Amino acid sequence: MKHTLYYILFLSMMLCSSCSDWLDVRPEKYTEENEMFSTITGFQNSLTGVYIQLKSKTLYGQNLSMGMMEYLAQHWVTNSSEAVGKLSNFEYDDADVETMINGVYADLYNTILSINNLLRFVDNGVLRGKSYNMIKGEALALRAFCHLDLLRLYGPVPGRQTDKKMLSYAQVVSREPMKVNTWKEYTEFLLKDLNDAETLLKEVDLGEPIIDDYALFRQNRMNYWAVKALKARFYLWILDKDQAKKYALEVINGNWKSLCTPEDISTNKDYVASKEHLFSLHEFDLETNTEQFIYRAGGVYMPEEYIRKRLFASDITDVRINTLWKQFTEASSVRFKLMKYKQGSEVAKNSVEQIPLLRLYEMYLIAIECSDNAAEYKPWVKELTKARNVSNEPNVESPEAKDAYVLLEYNKEFYGEGQLFFQYKRRGEETILWADKAGTNSVYMLPLPKSEIKYNE
């Protein structure tokens, strides 16, 4: 993985040199990294830098939340002559689309390399006790999180994998080419990171609290419950429904978070359902970014008929259609826009500047999908319909009806959060709502950068 993995860490360090004292010129044998990781603050700053990388527009600040992934899910109206229109039509060979996809790939591995650089030093004796558990546990969990999304984006449709090499599970910082792994190798490494992170963070999040400002706002950091939720998502991706259900229920029954009520969303204006966040990013520039991307004249939208009638089936009580969508009259058109990321003083304090990455609602959907017992899963369905004030009782009588309900809920609930395309892919769905093309392997597997292909042979 020559171009992406050799030099990207070095380049990112060079780009930071103007604002980072530890990159000042030193005597030849003096190692700046040793200096940085000689204090707890140095480790904390390094881990904070990882979260900042995740918030970039290339990653979860836009492309992997409301941007690229939502275009792939057919969630925004596009112009077929523009790059996003070609992306929505799965024209991955278009130069601008290729640049976008390659940028996500590079920045995910860039983030992983930053994590691996921290992990090189984490056992140097500076960190002890719960500080050690927290820093190392979060780093391992974040490494797993990034690798899982690389797998979901660039890997095969689950169940269609072969024993061929596909992607690198990067665990070291090296000038040598990273080994390209098979599905089996890759998922085993990923699970080990999750297991190790779960063990470490259990001591942090279930024990006596750490008296340190750095340990505050655990929902904005990788935490014990987020790791369990990520394990549920991971196991569902590799089609191990028993384990997926097990971890989803552990999160639900852990009672760390609760489902929002309709009043939380409509009256209190908790548009992003922050009470349900197991892991979210705090993006200080979210208002600026979303005003430009969504709420300005000409921002992304969908026709009202598509949302109100086709998606919500004219359900007049569902809090999502009544609160999270709004008609905007612009100079040349009327646009129906998602209000989930709308900022302002009237929005619930806890939901301001939040980008959700893992939510409790998803755990319910995983548990429902993975249960074959109607007496078990119907109460969970009822909890969700109550939480969103749904008047049309869903049909979940047969396995097929239940699966259709779950997929529809991903479409309604996670609009703007970048999750729906992954559900289509995981299931190998031939029909993608509002798409002109069928869901095939070539649609679901985003292409690797051309410079990487030869290393996967």
Side-chain angles (χ1 to χ4, degrees):
M1 310 187 85
K2 199 168 186 178
H3 300 292
T4 302
L5 298 182
Y6 276 7
Y7 305 116
I8 199 163
L9 179 64
F10 171 75
L11 291 173
S12 65
M13 290 165 59
M14 291 298 291
L15 288 171
C16 293
S17 62
S18 62
C19 58
S20 182
D21 292 337
W22 68 282
L23 287 176
D24 287 346
V25 176
R26 299 288 185 180
E28 183 176 337
K29 294 184 179 181
Y30 196 96
T31 304
E32 293 87 348
E33 289 177 329
N34 283 335
E35 179 184 359
M36 181 176 186
F37 294 111
S38 66
T39 66
I40 293 176
T41 300
F43 278 100
Q44 291 174 344
N45 289 342
S46 178
L47 186 58
T48 297
V50 171
Y51 287 105
I52 291 172
Q53 285 178 280
L54 292 174
K55 294 189 294 185
S56 73
K57 285 186 178 181
T58 306
L59 298 181
Y60 301 94
Q62 184 165 306
N63 273 349
L64 298 184
S65 55
M66 65 195 79
M68 184 182 86
M69 298 311 302
E70 293 299 280
Y71 286 116
L72 291 172
Q74 312 301 304
H75 272 177
W76 307 130
V77 172
T78 61
N79 184 328
S80 61
S81 66
E82 297 178 351
V84 291
K86 293 175 182 178
L87 174 67
S88 294
N89 199 38
F90 313 117
E91 297 176 29
Y92 300 144
D93 56 351
D94 176 79
D96 291 331
V97 173
E98 183 180 351
T99 297
M100 188 185 310
I101 292 172
N102 290 355
V104 171
Y105 179 92
D107 278 14
L108 279 171
Y109 272 117
N110 189 7
T111 304
I112 290 167
L113 283 171
S114 296
I115 295 167
N116 287 341
N117 197 46
L118 183 158
L119 289 170
R120 280 201 301 159
F121 295 91
V122 77
D123 293 310
N124 66 2
V126 172
L127 298 173
R128 299 179 183 276
K130 289 191 175 182
S131 291
Y132 172 85
N133 290 348
M134 180 172 67
I135 298 292
K136 185 173 183 179
E138 288 186 35
L140 289 171
L142 289 169
R143 185 166 74 180
F145 182 86
C146 291
H147 275 110
L148 180 55
D149 273 357
L150 280 163
L151 180 64
R152 296 202 296 172
L153 287 162
Y154 302 95
V157 174
R160 301 178 188 173
Q161 69 271 15
T162 68
D163 58 359
K164 293 182 178 179
K165 296 177 181 180
M166 51 168 205
L167 290 166
S168 291
Y169 199 93
Q171 301 175 78
V172 297
V173 177
S174 173
R175 292 181 62 85
E176 299 300 318
M178 301 300 295
K179 178 183 177 182
V180 182
N181 302 112
T182 64
W183 171 281
K184 184 176 184 295
E185 293 168 338
Y186 193 99
T187 54
E188 286 176 351
F189 287 138
L190 204 162
L191 182 58
K192 183 180 187 306
D193 274 353
L194 288 173
N195 286 336
D196 291 346
E198 182 181 2
T199 299
L200 290 163
L201 292 174
K202 182 177 182 179
E203 300 297 318
V204 175
D205 292 310
L206 297 190
E208 290 295 319
I210 301 175
I211 310 302
D212 184 343
D213 288 347
Y214 191 75
L216 299 176
F217 305 108
R218 295 299 292 155
Q219 75 277 6
N220 290 137
R221 306 266 294 280
M222 260 298 173
N223 60 77
Y224 175 71
W225 297 109
V227 171
K228 283 188 172 292
L230 190 58
K231 290 181 85 170
R233 182 184 282 179
F234 164 75
Y235 276 118
L236 187 59
W237 191 259
I238 65 170
L239 307 181
D240 188 338
K241 289 191 173 183
D242 289 340
Q243 286 296 307
K245 175 184 166 186
K246 172 182 179 289
Y247 281 99
L249 289 179
E250 286 184 11
V251 175
I252 293 168
N253 296 330
N255 296 316
W256 188 55
K257 296 291 182 178
S258 59
L259 291 171
C260 284
T261 66
E263 292 72 29
D264 288 327
I265 297 171
S266 61
T267 305
N268 299 334
K269 294 180 171 52
D270 187 1
Y271 295 155
V272 293
S274 65
K275 285 175 60 176
E276 301 174 5
H277 289 190
L278 301 166
F279 175 41
S280 56
L281 295 175
H282 186 182
E283 173 52 89
F284 295 99
D285 294 327
L286 188 60
E287 181 171 15
T288 299
N289 295 343
T290 55
E291 287 295 324
Q292 177 65 24
F293 185 66
I294 303 174
Y295 304 114
R296 66 173 177 84
V300 295
Y301 74 103
M302 279 297 279
E304 184 171 2
E305 180 183 358
Y306 279 49
I307 302 300
R308 191 177 296 280
K309 294 183 179 180
R310 300 189 190 181
L311 190 57
F312 285 92
S314 300
D315 189 329
I316 62 174
T317 65
D318 193 315
V319 69
R320 293 169 293 192
I321 187 61
N322 290 332
T323 305
L324 298 183
W325 289 90
K326 183 179 178 181
Q327 189 179 90
F328 284 74
T329 301
E330 299 178 358
S332 58
S333 63
V334 175
R335 299 193 171 198
F336 208 49
K337 297 192 176 186
L338 181 69
M339 298 299 292
K340 181 174 287 185
Y341 294 109
K342 187 65 176 175
Q343 306 294 291
S345 58
E346 74 280 3
V347 175
K349 182 178 179 181
N350 290 337
S351 70
V352 172
E353 299 174 343
Q354 301 295 310
I355 300 175
L357 300 184
L358 284 164
R359 284 209 279 129
L360 184 64
Y361 203 99
E362 181 183 353
M363 298 301 105
Y364 275 87
L365 292 180
I366 290 175
I368 292 166
E369 180 173 351
C370 296
S371 175
D372 295 324
N373 184 347
E376 180 182 49
Y377 68 71
K378 281 187 176 181
W380 300 331
V381 173
K382 189 173 182 179
E383 285 189 62
L384 295 186
T385 58
K386 180 181 178 181
R388 298 301 183 259
N389 199 34
V390 175
S391 60
N392 297 336
E393 183 176 349
N395 173 16
V396 293
E397 295 301 325
S398 67
E400 294 78 15
K402 176 168 65 72
D403 285 349
Y405 161 76
V406 169
L407 184 60
L408 184 61
E409 278 302 300
Y410 271 105
N411 205 334
K412 294 177 181 178
E413 183 66 28
F414 296 101
Y415 216 110
E417 296 182 37
Q419 293 303 317
L420 180 62
F421 181 76
F422 293 132
Q423 307 315 310
Y424 287 133
K425 178 174 180 174
R426 174 176 59 81
R427 295 160 172 254
E429 294 281 351
E430 290 186 10
T431 301
I432 299 174
L433 184 63
W434 302 325
D436 294 328
K437 292 183 179 178
T440 61
N441 287 341
S442 62
V443 163
Y444 287 134
M445 283 185 65
L446 271 61
L448 296 174
K450 290 184 175 66
S451 60
E452 306 295 286
I453 292 174
K454 64 180 179 180
Y455 295 99
N456 291 32
E457 296 175 348

